[in-house]
């Protein structure tokens, strides 16, 4: 990691930690609409990494990877703040899917199938699946679920910055945690696998797609649908 002159080799450090940037970008992209390109997040994240290398002080008592992760995510979020990353229409669609799932679960007393959710939304199945891909910013726990906050304040901070924390830890109430565990058990089997790989094993959508032998876009759809199912169940707690 040092040059012939005994100074830190910045290029070598960037190469060493570039996989961290890619990992964070792929994890964040699952919470953003399809209009956001992962390569753009990686590019911005690399700038965050460069800044972290310049500012890191070992005397601060934190590991570099922890320090760099905060800088990299911060750079990505700052970049997203600069544009209209998610329209009000997409937010509205998220809630419509969740509400449709909620109505069907009460009516059918079971987890509704994709085709049933599409019918409840009065749209063809392929159109519903396209909508799932577009609203992949759906997050498991919104800040307003806990604090009762307004939907209009700093949406990006709530849906991206909080998303990097463990959703179970965000749910501070023991009753809510128990409800979440129970709700995951009641997901369709494939969606249980996806949620486990994503949240427990920290796998990105591309990795999950490879394991299950389907496309990344299909995993994106199923992930969004799983979140809608879970949020529907948590509304009752």
């Amino acid at each position: 990691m040092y040059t012939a002159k005994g100074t830190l080799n910045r290029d070598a450090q960037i190469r060493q930690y570039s996989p961290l940037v890619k990992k964070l970008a792929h994890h964040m992209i699952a919470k953003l609409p399809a209009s956001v390109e992962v390569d753009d997040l990686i590019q911005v994240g690399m700038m965050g990494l460069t800044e972290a290398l310049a500012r890191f002080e070992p005397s601060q008592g934190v590991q570099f990877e922890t320090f760099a992760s905060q800088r990299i995510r911060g750079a990505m979020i700052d970049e997203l703040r600069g544009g209209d990353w998610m329209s009000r229409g997409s937010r509205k669609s998220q809630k419509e899917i969740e509400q449709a799932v909620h109505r069907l679960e009460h009516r059918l007393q079971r987890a509704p199938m994709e085709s049933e959710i599409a019918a409840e939304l009065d749209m063809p199945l392929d159109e519903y699946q396209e909508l799932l891909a577009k609203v992949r910013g759906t997050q498991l726990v919104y800040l307003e679920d806990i604090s009762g906050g307004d939907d209009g304040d700093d949406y990006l901070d709530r849906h991206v910055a909080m998303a990097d924390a463990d959703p179970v830890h965000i749910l501070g109430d023991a009753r809510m945690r128990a409800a979440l565990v129970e709700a995951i058990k009641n997901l369709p089997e494939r969606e249980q696998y996806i949620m486990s790989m994503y949240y427990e094993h920290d796998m990105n959508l591309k990795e999950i797609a490879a394991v299950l032998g389907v496309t990344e876009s299909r995993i994106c759809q199923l992930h969004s649908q799983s979140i809608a199912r879970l949020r529907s169940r948590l509304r009752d707690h």
Side-chain angles (χ1 to χ4, degrees):
M1 284 301 169
Y2 290 85
T3 66
K5 295 181 179 180
T7 58
L8 284 171
N9 188 328
R10 189 59 51 84
D11 289 342
Q13 289 180 307
I14 289 175
R15 286 195 298 271
Q16 179 184 358
Y17 290 104
S18 62
L20 173 63
V21 175
K22 293 177 182 177
K23 176 183 177 180
L24 293 172
H26 280 285
H27 198 71
M28 186 177 288
I29 199 71
K31 306 164 184 71
L32 299 170
S35 58
V36 180
E37 297 287 343
V38 70
D39 288 343
D40 292 338
L41 287 183
I42 291 172
Q43 183 178 4
V44 173
M46 291 301 291
M47 291 189 283
L49 173 60
T50 301
E51 180 186 2
L53 288 166
R55 293 177 176 270
F56 180 66
E57 292 288 344
S59 60
Q60 293 174 338
V62 297
Q63 292 185 342
F64 175 73
E65 187 167 329
T66 301
F67 178 81
S69 295
Q70 293 173 345
R71 291 283 177 173
I72 292 165
R73 279 196 293 262
M76 292 176 182
I77 291 172
D78 286 344
E79 178 69 13
L80 291 166
R81 276 202 187 96
D84 183 15
W85 75 283
M86 192 170 203
S87 68
R88 286 190 175 274
S90 293
R91 302 181 205 180
K92 182 172 180 287
S93 295
Q94 288 181 351
K95 291 192 174 183
E96 286 175 348
I97 293 171
E98 178 191 334
Q99 289 165 357
V101 170
H102 192 71
R103 290 193 300 270
L104 286 168
E105 285 183 338
H106 280 268
R107 190 186 312 153
L108 302 172
Q109 295 298 303
R110 60 170 172 80
M113 297 184 294
E114 257 183 310
S115 58
E116 292 170 329
I117 300 171
E120 182 72 12
L121 291 167
D122 195 24
M123 61 178 63
L125 179 58
D126 59 347
E127 186 177 329
Y128 168 61
Q129 290 174 339
E130 288 178 9
L131 184 62
L132 284 173
K134 289 177 182 177
V135 301
R136 64 182 180 190
T138 303
Q139 188 49 43
L140 178 57
V141 182
Y142 297 161
L143 185 59
E144 61 265 26
D145 293 336
I146 301 169
S147 67
D150 199 308
D151 204 32
D153 295 334
D154 213 350
Y155 188 88
L156 185 64
D157 281 335
R158 295 202 306 273
H159 292 69
V160 177
M162 287 183 65
D164 291 303
D166 182 347
V168 176
H169 290 165
I170 295 172
L171 288 166
D173 183 83
R175 184 168 61 91
M176 286 286 282
R177 287 201 302 272
L180 175 62
V181 171
E182 188 62 29
I184 290 175
K185 289 179 182 178
N186 288 315
L187 288 175
E189 188 175 22
R190 175 171 281 196
E191 293 181 30
Q192 285 188 46
Y193 289 148
I194 291 170
M195 298 302 286
S196 174
M197 285 186 276
Y198 188 78
Y199 287 107
E200 294 180 31
H201 301 288
D202 201 26
M203 296 171 65
N204 62 47
L205 301 188
K206 185 176 183 180
E207 292 168 336
I208 297 171
V211 170
L212 295 182
V214 297
T215 64
E216 185 176 352
S217 62
R218 180 58 179 154
I219 294 298
C220 177
Q221 293 169 0
L222 292 172
H223 177 263
S224 293
Q225 185 167 264
S226 300
I227 295 294
R229 293 186 197 275
L230 292 176
R231 283 185 52 77
S232 170
R233 293 291 181 91
L234 293 175
R235 286 175 60 182
D236 293 332
H237 295 270

